[in-house]
Amino acid sequence: MFKCRPTLTAAALAVLASLAGATPALCGQKAGKAQTQGADESLVWPAPPAPARIKWVAEYRNEFDVKAKKRRSFLDRLAGKNEDVIRLRRPISVAVDEKGTIFVGDFGQGIVALDPNGRRMWRFSSVSGTALSTPVGLAADSKFVYATDTTTNTLTVFDKEGHRLTGLGPADGLKRPVGVAVDEAHDLVLLVNGGDHTVLLYNRALKLQKKIGARGSLPGQFNFPTYATFLSGGGFAVTDTGNFRVQIFDANGKYVRAFGKAGDQSGNFSRPKGIAQDPDGSLYVVDAVFSNFQIFRLDGQLLTFVGRGGASKGMFQIPSGLAIGKDGAIYVADEMNGRIQRFQYLSLPATQAPAAAGAAH
């Protein structure tokens, strides 16, 4: 289990020093006035006096957290009629679209959508009648929401309001599908077929383009993979959970490199799950056992981590899914705390940006 100040390698400390101008403490602390104007009470990582790179922003549990408008009429309220407040129960996956709408896979409840800008929250099941049992994976593009269900072995495509459009199932070879990612610009959908230890590449019409991997521990093989993300420089990264590592592939599905191993030190993994890339190219990997997410360069160099076990702001209890918006907003599915936590990535100077996707290793 991670401690507040985990052991870091000399190389990792050097990278952190280059990022912050000094070796930072890694546990989140309240920012002082000298660090972020008007944000005295913000929880940030690394801790002061190092320049903040991640800031805690908000949590979403129910309609009140998005300031949703009441649905009851004045007469209903006068008569004391109860209103069914939509709330998250056990969020296990999360996605965000370019407009900032958040889609949450909630265990036993299906998909719940939150629109903080429009002050609205709704259940997909109330629109389509389709309630997914175990929506472990979610992805969203400009038109569609893609959701896996490990109980029914399906991938379902919805419109943004929650109407079911199409999907795949066991007859299409799906076996415990978990993570899903979409690259709209290249017309690609990536599905982690966990029970088959493979990654499947489709076009957005769900026509299979390529099948990658097999069970094993060699490069390009998987042992119960869970989540994946497309990379801005081309290619994709897969959380190879049973092998305690992240594997990176190029745009053609060819193995490039891997990093990580089983262990209880920073940079190691115990139960790696959700994965996403921030606007400057770093990879964020959730670890359900460590109750945090770690941040790496694409070459596998650890930069820092955020979180620990608990129920307060910036703490987690069995986190799983993770998504990052184009604006650097970070969303983490904090399952046993019944919430989505939102953080904000504070951009690095160009001279300190992480290694490019195609960099040799």
Side-chain angles (χ1 to χ4, degrees):
M1 186 63 66
F2 272 61
K3 304 298 183 183
C4 186
R5 295 175 186 270
T7 302
L8 291 175
T9 64
L13 288 170
V15 171
L16 286 170
S18 70
L19 288 175
T23 302
L26 296 181
C27 296
Q29 294 183 7
K30 297 294 181 67
K33 291 182 179 179
Q35 184 177 4
T36 49
Q37 294 182 354
D40 303 305
E41 298 303 312
S42 293
L43 191 62
V44 297
W45 293 263
R53 298 307 182 200
I54 305 290
K55 179 174 72 172
W56 188 91
V57 176
E59 64 178 24
Y60 302 112
R61 297 177 182 270
N62 52 49
E63 289 182 283
F64 303 117
D65 291 331
V66 297
K67 299 179 174 60
K69 298 177 182 178
K70 298 295 183 181
R71 298 184 302 281
R72 289 186 302 168
S73 69
F74 172 75
L75 292 178
D76 287 337
R77 294 194 298 272
L78 191 64
K81 183 177 180 180
N82 291 330
E83 184 172 20
D84 178 24
V85 176
I86 300 175
R87 63 182 73 251
L88 299 178
R89 299 172 186 170
R90 288 178 56 187
I92 52 180
S93 58
V94 62
V96 62
D97 67 13
E98 74 283 355
K99 295 181 179 179
T101 304
I102 308 160
F103 303 94
V104 181
D106 203 15
F107 185 82
Q109 187 173 204
I111 300 174
V112 179
L114 305 90
D115 180 5
N117 298 320
R119 299 173 59 185
R120 182 178 172 226
M121 187 171 178
W122 68 101
R123 299 184 185 96
F124 275 31
S125 58
S126 65
V127 176
S128 66
T130 302
L132 305 181
S133 176
T134 316
V136 173
L138 278 182
D141 59 25
S142 66
K143 295 182 179 180
F144 308 122
V145 176
Y146 306 80
T148 65
D149 189 330
T150 57
T151 299
T152 59
N153 294 309
T154 56
L155 170 67
T156 305
V157 183
F158 298 88
D159 67 16
K160 295 297 183 67
E161 287 299 310
H163 300 97
R164 185 187 186 281
L165 302 176
T166 186
L168 300 172
D172 302 293
L174 271 57
K175 184 177 181 181
R176 198 179 173 273
V178 274
V180 60
V182 59
D183 181 349
E184 186 171 4
H186 295 92
D187 190 33
L188 289 173
V189 174
L190 190 156
L191 178 68
V192 180
N193 206 21
D196 194 38
H197 312 281
T198 57
V199 170
L200 306 176
L201 276 173
Y202 299 89
N203 62 21
R204 289 169 69 244
L206 300 187
K207 301 298 182 183
L208 184 63
Q209 308 296 299
K210 186 171 293 188
K211 181 177 180 179
I212 300 166
R215 189 169 192 180
S217 58
L218 297 175
Q221 296 180 337
F222 303 103
N223 186 26
F224 293 106
T226 51
Y227 289 87
T229 186
F230 283 105
L231 302 175
S232 58
F236 54 90
V238 180
T239 308
D240 188 7
T241 302
N243 284 322
F244 308 99
R245 65 186 180 184
V246 170
Q247 295 199 67
I248 295 177
F249 299 82
D250 67 15
N252 296 313
K254 182 180 178 181
Y255 171 85
V256 175
R257 73 178 74 92
F259 63 84
K261 63 179 181 179
D264 60 2
Q265 301 297 314
S266 56
N268 296 161
F269 295 119
S270 182
R271 195 185 303 165
K273 289 193 170 184
I275 186 169
Q277 188 178 40
D278 73 23
D280 282 328
S282 295
L283 278 177
Y284 293 50
V285 184
V286 169
D287 198 297
V289 171
F290 295 157
S291 296
N292 69 6
F293 60 87
Q294 300 185 86
I295 306 174
F296 299 88
R297 295 166 63 102
L298 283 181
D299 59 8
Q301 176 66 64
L302 174 69
L303 300 179
T304 188
F305 75 87
V306 174
R308 56 190 174 91
S312 299
K313 297 176 181 178
M315 297 181 180
F316 304 99
Q317 293 191 62
I318 312 184
S320 51
L322 179 146
I324 302 179
K326 292 182 179 179
D327 60 352
I330 304 158
Y331 304 88
V332 183
D334 188 6
E335 180 180 352
M336 300 312 294
N337 283 324
R339 63 186 175 182
I340 295 295
Q341 292 201 66
R342 179 178 176 176
F343 302 80
Q344 181 63 45
Y345 172 64
L346 307 175
S347 296
L348 293 172
T351 56
Q352 296 177 357
H361 178 61

